[in-house]
Amino acid sequence: MMPPAVPTGPSPTSFEAASETPSGAASETPSESPFEPPFEAASSEAFLERLGDLIESRRGADPASSYVARLLSAGEDAILKKIGEEATETVMAAKDGLPARIVAETADLWFHCLVMLAHYGLRPADVIAELQRREGLSGLEEKALRKKALRSRQD
């Protein structure tokens, strides 16, 4: 049995619509940033957990009724392909320098990464814990520690 087809075009998320003007075109003012978060960091973490819960609730749902259910049922390759597409779109948005597109494409990328986490039985809290673990480490120091740990596991 073939897995359900996963759309390769724009994802049906509300993230894209938030960055468009009524005509459907992205804002063309690269120096202007309309994004002032109306929330505290703690509520951002809670929001990611709620979004993770919502994604998890789609596992096993009818793929015809939910984009996330369709993507999860299509499996690892479809999910990872979608992340690759969203990462490319994020890079292209950044190269264009339009803040609204950068935010919208980054939101799509993060969303699809959350779907990937759910596929592997992981939660947003797992990523947040890893970022917190790294807080205060220099990037060079953290990378050296990861290389050292990798070498010790290979021995």
Side-chain angles (χ1 to χ4, degrees), residues 77-94:
D77 288 345
I79 295 167
L80 298 178
K81 179 180 178 190
K82 193 64 184 171
I83 289 173
E85 291 170 5
E86 297 301 342
T88 299
E89 290 172 11
T90 302
V91 169
M92 291 172 17

Side-chain angles (χ1 to χ4, degrees), residues 65-134:
S65 69
S66 164
Y67 172 78
V68 172
R70 188 177 331 148
L71 194 53
L72 286 169
S73 71
E76 178 182 59
D77 288 345
I79 295 167
L80 298 178
K81 179 180 178 190
K82 193 64 184 171
I83 289 173
E85 291 170 5
E86 297 301 342
T88 299
E89 290 172 11
T90 302
V91 169
M92 291 172 17
K95 291 293 283 182
D96 290 344
L98 299 174
R101 273 201 63 227
I102 294 168
V103 169
E105 294 300 344
T106 301
D108 286 345
L109 177 59
W110 286 13
F111 177 81
H112 287 88
C113 286
L114 291 172
V115 173
M116 176 197 63
L117 290 173
H119 172 76
Y120 289 108
L122 299 168
R123 300 286 305 173
D126 296 318
V127 177
I128 291 167
E130 176 61 14
L131 290 170
Q132 289 172 335
R133 184 191 67 76
R134 295 179 185 186

Side-chain angles (χ1 to χ4, degrees), residues 22-38:
S23 67
S27 166
E28 294 187 14
T29 52
S31 62
E32 186 180 341
S33 179
F35 304 100
E36 295 297 324

